[in-house]
Amino acid sequence: MDLSMILPVVLLAALLIYAVSIYNRLVALKNRFQNAFAQIEVQLKRRHDLIPNLVETARAYMSHERETLAAVTEARNAAEVGLKHAAAAPGNAAAMAELAGAEGALGAALGRLNVVMEAYPDLKASENMRQLSETLTSTENRVAFARQAFNDAVMQYNTYKQSFPPVVLAASFGHKQDAALLEFEDSAEIQTAPRISF
């Protein structure tokens, strides 16, 4: 074989191997942020599962505060719907915005419930309520850590996808859209985990 024929074949093989490595890296980074979202999903489901117990415990003490309890329940249900949509398309901007809005509304409803509960010393002294409060606070911390891990993974994916030469090949490999970060509306409050005390 002639050297002039070997050189183009070697060059073509090297380019093909490089393109495959770009594809594999894009897939790995996408899988990483999708897995990171799955961790958020686990923690948010745990949070959503705790809320009915919290409402039921509070209901026994707060019979005339039905509006507040109903608002918490409605916000929880909306947050679950938002979570389902986001879980179906992690990184999708619209799904992330819907989830962030629903979780913000749930946080606000829980905050109002906390304010109302301050007027019920027996409720605050309840061992069951204290345990629920501690578990909910712990879960809020886990959500914050999982959200940070997700946003870090999304940032790595987007950075790699937007860099050269992957930016040239990403769309043809099925990676057309950037992944969206999960940013809650009350970004300043997210820096510290919500404090729920009873």
PDB file of all heavy atoms in Angstrom, residues 89-101:
ATOM      1  N   ALA A  89     -39.419  14.709  31.548  1.00  0.00           N
ATOM      2  CA  ALA A  89     -38.484  15.432  30.670  1.00  0.00           C
ATOM      3  C   ALA A  89     -37.483  16.227  31.502  1.00  0.00           C
ATOM      4  O   ALA A  89     -37.505  17.453  31.494  1.00  0.00           O
ATOM      5  CB  ALA A  89     -39.258  16.350  29.737  1.00  0.00           C
ATOM      6  N   PRO A  90     -36.588  15.543  32.228  1.00  0.00           N
ATOM      7  CA  PRO A  90     -35.607  16.287  33.035  1.00  0.00           C
ATOM      8  C   PRO A  90     -34.763  17.211  32.156  1.00  0.00           C
ATOM      9  O   PRO A  90     -34.297  16.812  31.104  1.00  0.00           O
ATOM     10  CB  PRO A  90     -34.734  15.191  33.647  1.00  0.00           C
ATOM     11  CG  PRO A  90     -35.499  13.935  33.512  1.00  0.00           C
ATOM     12  CD  PRO A  90     -36.407  14.116  32.332  1.00  0.00           C
ATOM     13  N   GLY A  91     -34.608  18.420  32.599  1.00  0.00           N
ATOM     14  CA  GLY A  91     -33.819  19.383  31.835  1.00  0.00           C
ATOM     15  C   GLY A  91     -34.637  20.224  30.876  1.00  0.00           C
ATOM     16  O   GLY A  91     -34.160  21.241  30.392  1.00  0.00           O
ATOM     17  N   ASN A  92     -35.895  19.844  30.616  1.00  0.00           N
ATOM     18  CA  ASN A  92     -36.765  20.619  29.744  1.00  0.00           C
ATOM     19  C   ASN A  92     -37.130  21.922  30.447  1.00  0.00           C
ATOM     20  O   ASN A  92     -37.592  21.909  31.588  1.00  0.00           O
ATOM     21  CB  ASN A  92     -38.025  19.812  29.408  1.00  0.00           C
ATOM     22  CG  ASN A  92     -38.992  20.592  28.562  1.00  0.00           C
ATOM     23  OD1 ASN A  92     -39.733  21.423  29.071  1.00  0.00           O
ATOM     24  ND2 ASN A  92     -38.986  20.325  27.276  1.00  0.00           N
ATOM     25  N   ALA A  93     -36.938  23.038  29.779  1.00  0.00           N
ATOM     26  CA  ALA A  93     -37.122  24.346  30.404  1.00  0.00           C
ATOM     27  C   ALA A  93     -38.547  24.548  30.926  1.00  0.00           C
ATOM     28  O   ALA A  93     -38.735  25.032  32.043  1.00  0.00           O
ATOM     29  CB  ALA A  93     -36.755  25.450  29.418  1.00  0.00           C
ATOM     30  N   ALA A  94     -39.544  24.180  30.140  1.00  0.00           N
ATOM     31  CA  ALA A  94     -40.932  24.370  30.570  1.00  0.00           C
ATOM     32  C   ALA A  94     -41.258  23.490  31.770  1.00  0.00           C
ATOM     33  O   ALA A  94     -41.914  23.936  32.723  1.00  0.00           O
ATOM     34  CB  ALA A  94     -41.889  24.076  29.413  1.00  0.00           C
ATOM     35  N   ALA A  95     -40.795  22.257  31.754  1.00  0.00           N
ATOM     36  CA  ALA A  95     -41.052  21.338  32.865  1.00  0.00           C
ATOM     37  C   ALA A  95     -40.351  21.803  34.134  1.00  0.00           C
ATOM     38  O   ALA A  95     -40.916  21.735  35.229  1.00  0.00           O
ATOM     39  CB  ALA A  95     -40.607  19.925  32.494  1.00  0.00           C
ATOM     40  N   MET A  96     -39.132  22.308  33.988  1.00  0.00           N
ATOM     41  CA  MET A  96     -38.395  22.798  35.161  1.00  0.00           C
ATOM     42  C   MET A  96     -39.074  24.040  35.736  1.00  0.00           C
ATOM     43  O   MET A  96     -39.175  24.197  36.949  1.00  0.00           O
ATOM     44  CB  MET A  96     -36.942  23.124  34.802  1.00  0.00           C
ATOM     45  CG  MET A  96     -36.094  21.927  34.425  1.00  0.00           C
ATOM     46  SD  MET A  96     -35.873  20.702  35.728  1.00  0.00           S
ATOM     47  CE  MET A  96     -36.970  19.418  35.185  1.00  0.00           C
ATOM     48  N   ALA A  97     -39.577  24.912  34.868  1.00  0.00           N
ATOM     49  CA  ALA A  97     -40.270  26.121  35.327  1.00  0.00           C
ATOM     50  C   ALA A  97     -41.576  25.753  36.040  1.00  0.00           C
ATOM     51  O   ALA A  97     -41.914  26.339  37.080  1.00  0.00           O
ATOM     52  CB  ALA A  97     -40.549  27.055  34.154  1.00  0.00           C
ATOM     53  N   GLU A  98     -42.304  24.787  35.498  1.00  0.00           N
ATOM     54  CA  GLU A  98     -43.553  24.345  36.136  1.00  0.00           C
ATOM     55  C   GLU A  98     -43.265  23.765  37.519  1.00  0.00           C
ATOM     56  O   GLU A  98     -43.952  24.082  38.493  1.00  0.00           O
ATOM     57  CB  GLU A  98     -44.257  23.298  35.270  1.00  0.00           C
ATOM     58  CG  GLU A  98     -45.529  22.763  35.888  1.00  0.00           C
ATOM     59  CD  GLU A  98     -46.182  21.638  35.080  1.00  0.00           C
ATOM     60  OE1 GLU A  98     -45.683  21.288  33.997  1.00  0.00           O
ATOM     61  OE2 GLU A  98     -47.203  21.117  35.559  1.00  0.00           O
ATOM     62  N   LEU A  99     -42.238  22.921  37.610  1.00  0.00           N
ATOM     63  CA  LEU A  99     -41.881  22.324  38.893  1.00  0.00           C
ATOM     64  C   LEU A  99     -41.442  23.401  39.889  1.00  0.00           C
ATOM     65  O   LEU A  99     -41.861  23.392  41.048  1.00  0.00           O
ATOM     66  CB  LEU A  99     -40.771  21.289  38.713  1.00  0.00           C
ATOM     67  CG  LEU A  99     -40.251  20.640  39.997  1.00  0.00           C
ATOM     68  CD1 LEU A  99     -41.378  19.919  40.737  1.00  0.00           C
ATOM     69  CD2 LEU A  99     -39.114  19.682  39.681  1.00  0.00           C
ATOM     70  N   ALA A 100     -40.629  24.328  39.450  1.00  0.00           N
ATOM     71  CA  ALA A 100     -40.158  25.388  40.341  1.00  0.00           C
ATOM     72  C   ALA A 100     -41.325  26.226  40.858  1.00  0.00           C
ATOM     73  O   ALA A 100     -41.385  26.554  42.050  1.00  0.00           O
ATOM     74  CB  ALA A 100     -39.154  26.273  39.607  1.00  0.00           C
ATOM     75  N   GLY A 101     -42.263  26.554  39.982  1.00  0.00           N
ATOM     76  CA  GLY A 101     -43.429  27.329  40.406  1.00  0.00           C
ATOM     77  C   GLY A 101     -44.292  26.570  41.402  1.00  0.00           C
ATOM     78  O   GLY A 101     -44.742  27.133  42.412  1.00  0.00           O
TER      79      GLY A 101
END
